[in-house]
Each structure stands twice: as C-alpha cells, then as structure tokens.
Amino acid sequence: MGSVKEITIEDVNVSSANQQPKVVFVLGGPGSGKGTQCANIVEHFGYTHLSAGDLLRAEIKSGSENGTMIQNMIKEGKIVPSEVTIKLLQKAMQESGNDKFLIDGFPRNEENRAAFEAVTKITPEFVLFFDCSEEEMEKRLLGRNQGREDDNIETIRKRFKVYLESSLPVIEYYNSKGKVRKIDAAKPIDEVFEAVKVVFTSKDEKVGMCRLPRLFFISSCFIPGIFVLRRRCSCTVDGVASHLWVDAFPFLILMNTWN
Ligand SMILES: Nc1ncnc2c1ncn2[C@@H]1O[C@H](COP(=O)(O)OP(=O)(O)O)[C@@H](O)[C@H]1O
Ligand SMILES: Nc1ccn([C@@H]2O[C@H](COP(=O)(O)OP(=O)(O)O)[C@@H](O)[C@H]2O)c(=O)n1
C-alpha cells in the first residue's frame, strides 16, 4: 500500500485541461448484474469500467502486503477500508487514459463515499442503481460459476446484510440529491440494457450540443431558405422572414427540446 503514491485529481488523465473526469457510480446488491451491464455500457458508450471488487481481487493475486487482509475481508463479505480501495481506483483511473469512468461496486458504505469525494473532489454525474430482489440475486450468485470464494450461501447472506445496512444508505443519500437512476434489474439481460441505454442517452445525461447553440444552429439553417423563398415569391426579405419565423417557430422549439 505504501508503494502507491497519493494521487490527486490533477494526476488523473483527462482529455482537456481543467476538465473533471466524468464518473458514474454503478450500485446494486451482489449479483444484481452490475458487471454484466457495465460490459455493455463500455461497448456502447466508451466508458472505462472499474470494478472495485475486481481491483481488490487483482491486488490479492499480485501478492501485495494488503493481500491477506483483503482476502479475509472478502471471504467474510466485509467492506475493505476505503483508503485501500480508493488508491486502487485512482491508480486505475490514472492508467486508463480515459476521462469517463463507470465505478462499479463503489461506494459501498458512507466511509467509501465521503473518503472518495474528499480525496478526489469528484462527485458522480449520476448513480446507476440496479434494483433486484434478494431471491433473484441469490439464484444468480449461486449460478455465477466464476470460482469466487465469496459466492457460497454463507458469505452471500453476509453480503446481503452488509448491502442492506451499509450500501443502501449510500444509494438513499444520492437519491436525496436527485442523482439516482433506478433500473429494474430483475428482467432479462437485454431488457435491463434497454433501460440502461435510455439513461445514458437521455437529454439530461448526454454530452452533446447544449440548448442555446443548438437553437442558433437550427435557426441558421433557415437563412438560405429565406432567400430562396424571396426569389421564388419575389416579395421582400422582411415579409418572407416574418412568415417563415411564425410558421417555423413551434418547429424550432420542438427541435430544441428533442434529443
Ligand atoms: N438480468 C439478468 N438476468 C439473469 N442473469 C443475469 C442478469 N444479469 C446478470 N446475470 C448473471 O448473474 C450473475 C451475476 O451478475 P454480475 O453482473 O456478475 O453481478 P454483480 O456484478 O452485480 O455482482 C452472472 O452469472 C450473470 O451472468
Ligand atoms: N467498495 C468495495 C467493493 C467490494 N469490496 C469487497 O469485494 C467483495 C466483492 O464485491 P464485488 O463488487 O466484486 O461483487 P458483488 O458482491 O457486487 O457481487 C465485497 O463483498 C467486499 O468484500 C469492498 O470491500 N469494497
């Protein structure tokens, strides 16, 4: 742990100066489908997927000095101290070369949340919350077959308890700030992704042309039309322009609100 230098937000690779990395937290119970949907989001929307659990498991494998502690915590379904997980996340962000991140399975408790915001000064764009019943999650975890030490019924029950007691309050915190985008994760994988796509392409989340420039852009398309109409109708510029504006105004408003 001591070998990882303290990284600040300035160290994280961003596409342009003074621009904060865009972070989406992906939360939900164990087995709700976070990892599965993150893979789809990466493919369609160009994010880098950072799974806190995967980073911790890689840290165990690397033989780091924290390995045994992390392994014991995961076996017990407990939450690893924030300091460890945040350093792994920061290092992965720095090495990615991207500026858009899906942070999956983090923050898992209030300590994770507050420490991340304090250290990185990053607040998430939004929180993608996969809502699923325990019964369905248990079935999925027992059938996951990835050889995970924590996918046994005893540890699964402990993870559910930690999720209810520590992770749900974090989701509630972001909900009170209007940041939660809730997805019904009990549906089949394709249907869940359809709902996810709606979130990522909605006009509130999309990074695109903002309203005012868009209005000017659309309006400017009408200027050549005014001259064509004027020639055809041989009437004054003012006359044609006022006609056009009156007729086109509702259309322009519609275009400007449409994504
Ligand atoms: N919508 C779904 N319906 C059925 N099975 C799913 C669905 N989403 C994921 N799974 C399966 O459930 C298991 C857990 O999914 P995973 O994405 O690893 O969950 P998480 O990252 O939230 O723990 C995997 O075996 C995965 O293939
Ligand atoms: N922020 C995090 C994320 C995971 N973890 C640990 O890693 C385990 C597995 O997390 P995960 O996100 O890979 O898997 P799921 O429990 O979501 O299926 C958790 O049960 C915790 O023990 C943690 O301590 N802190």
Side-chain angles (χ1 to χ4, degrees):
M1 188 175 70
S3 61
V4 182
K5 94 173 171 80
E6 190 71 48
I7 303 163
T8 62
I9 191 62
E10 283 75 29
D11 294 320
V12 176
N13 250 340
V14 291
S15 59
S16 67
N18 304 323
Q19 201 179 325
Q20 279 238 336
K22 181 173 169 150
V23 164
V24 173
F25 288 145
V26 182
L27 301 177
S32 57
K34 302 183 292 296
T36 304
Q37 295 302 331
C38 282
N40 286 334
I41 300 165
V42 165
E43 208 178 298
H44 285 75
F45 299 102
Y47 282 76
T48 292
H49 174 209
L50 301 178
S51 155
D54 285 350
L55 290 170
L56 290 167
R57 283 182 288 274
E59 189 68 358
I60 299 172
K61 275 201 183 149
S62 77
S64 101
E65 56 177 307
N66 284 318
T68 312
M69 179 273 289
I70 298 171
Q71 189 167 23
N72 289 334
M73 303 286 283
I74 290 182
K75 235 190 269 177
E76 286 303 308
K78 291 183 180 159
I79 297 169
V80 173
S82 303
E83 188 201 12
V84 175
T85 317
I86 290 171
K87 278 184 180 165
L88 294 173
L89 285 169
Q90 287 182 302
K91 188 164 173 276
M93 286 169 88
Q94 190 193 25
E95 287 169 357
S96 75
N98 200 350
D99 65 349
K100 288 163 72 179
F101 302 96
L102 294 172
I103 300 194
D104 157 11
F106 183 98
R108 240 173 165 97
N109 62 9
E110 175 54 23
E111 190 213 359
N112 272 183
R113 184 199 68 74
F116 184 83
E117 290 195 7
V119 172
T120 66
K121 310 281 183 285
I122 297 173
T123 48
E125 299 290 315
F126 59 92
V127 172
L128 193 62
F129 167 42
F130 291 109
D131 187 32
C132 195
S133 69
E134 265 192 23
E135 194 189 7
E136 175 66 19
M137 294 193 289
E138 184 180 304
K139 199 172 76 189
R140 290 181 190 176
L141 291 173
L142 291 173
R144 179 150 60 178
N145 260 338
Q146 284 177 357
R148 273 177 53 171
E149 252 189 311
D150 56 347
D151 280 349
N152 59 77
I153 192 63
E154 198 189 329
T155 312
I156 287 171
R157 295 265 154 87
K158 289 180 182 166
R159 285 154 72 196
F160 284 161
K161 191 165 183 288
V162 169
Y163 170 65
L164 287 178
E165 288 172 0
S166 305
S167 311
L168 266 181
V170 175
I171 295 163
E172 275 153 19
Y173 167 85
Y174 284 118
N175 197 32
S176 72
K177 301 212 167 300
K179 292 226 165 211
V180 172
R181 311 289 177 264
K182 185 170 157 181
I183 303 285
D184 178 359
K187 293 183 174 164
I189 293 174
D190 289 355
E191 285 180 39
V192 175
F193 188 53
E194 285 309 311
V196 168
K197 274 200 281 193
V198 171
V199 171
F200 278 84
T201 52
S202 92
K203 64 176 187 293
D204 296 333
E205 325 300 0
K206 209 159 95 181
V207 191
M209 213 192 273
C210 49
R211 295 247 169 113
L212 205 59
R214 204 166 359 144
L215 182 62
F216 281 115
F217 172 75
I218 295 166
S219 309
S220 68
C221 298
F222 282 84
I223 293 167
I226 293 173
F227 288 100
V228 172
L229 216 75
R230 185 186 164 228
R231 283 199 164 184
R232 288 231 178 119
C233 310
S234 65
C235 58
T236 65
V237 175
D238 285 354
V240 173
S242 61
H243 262 290
L244 220 77
W245 270 105
V246 169
D247 294 345
F249 203 69
F251 173 73
L252 287 177
I253 297 294
L254 198 74
M255 286 288 286
N256 196 46
T257 49
W258 175 71
N259 247 309

